[in-house]
Amino acid sequence: MATSEINENASKSVNENVSEDASGDLNASGASPLSARSAAASVYYPVAPGQQVNVRRGPNTGSQIVRVLPEDSRIAIRCQTRGETITGPYGTTDIWDSIAPGQYVSDAYVKTGSDGFVTIRCS
C-alpha cells in the first residue's frame, strides 16, 4: 500500500474515532483530538537509498547510537534543531531531525527536498 493511501486511511480512521471536542480533553479512545489529528497528518521522508542511518541520543556524532534505521526507511520528523555539521548523500548541513524524543538523525541523510527547516524547531 502506498504511503499516501496509508495516510488517507489513517486520516479517515482518526476522523471517525475522534470526537470534535476542541477543549483538548481526552475522548473515549484515550487520545487528545488534536494529537490524534496531528499523527494522521504526518509526512514521511525517505532516508538516502542504500544507507543504514544511525539514530543518536543527541544532534551530534558523539551522542550514543540508540538504534539504526534499515535501508529504505521512511521517517516522520517531529521537529528539527541545529547540531554538528555533517556531510551525507543530501549535502552538508547542521540540521538534525528528531524522529522521537531523544532520537536524532542528520538531515544530510534524509530527503526532505529542502536545505532548510521543513517543520518546527525542537524546543
Side-chain angles (χ1 to χ4, degrees), residues 95-113:
I95 296 174
W96 287 70
D97 306 327
S98 174
I99 61 173
Q103 296 187 27
Y104 296 86
V105 296
S106 171
D107 198 59
Y109 287 87
V110 181
K111 186 175 184 180
T112 62

Side-chain angles (χ1 to χ4, degrees), residues 64-116:
Q64 174 187 9
I65 296 172
V66 294
R67 65 184 173 124
V68 178
L69 297 175
E71 291 183 22
D72 302 320
S73 292
R74 297 178 68 81
I75 60 168
I77 301 172
R78 53 189 293 279
C79 62
Q80 294 177 298
T81 191
R82 295 209 183 270
E84 180 181 348
T85 299
I86 301 294
T87 298
Y90 297 115
T92 300
T93 184
D94 66 348
I95 296 174
W96 287 70
D97 306 327
S98 174
I99 61 173
Q103 296 187 27
Y104 296 86
V105 296
S106 171
D107 198 59
Y109 287 87
V110 181
K111 186 175 184 180
T112 62
S114 173
D115 289 336

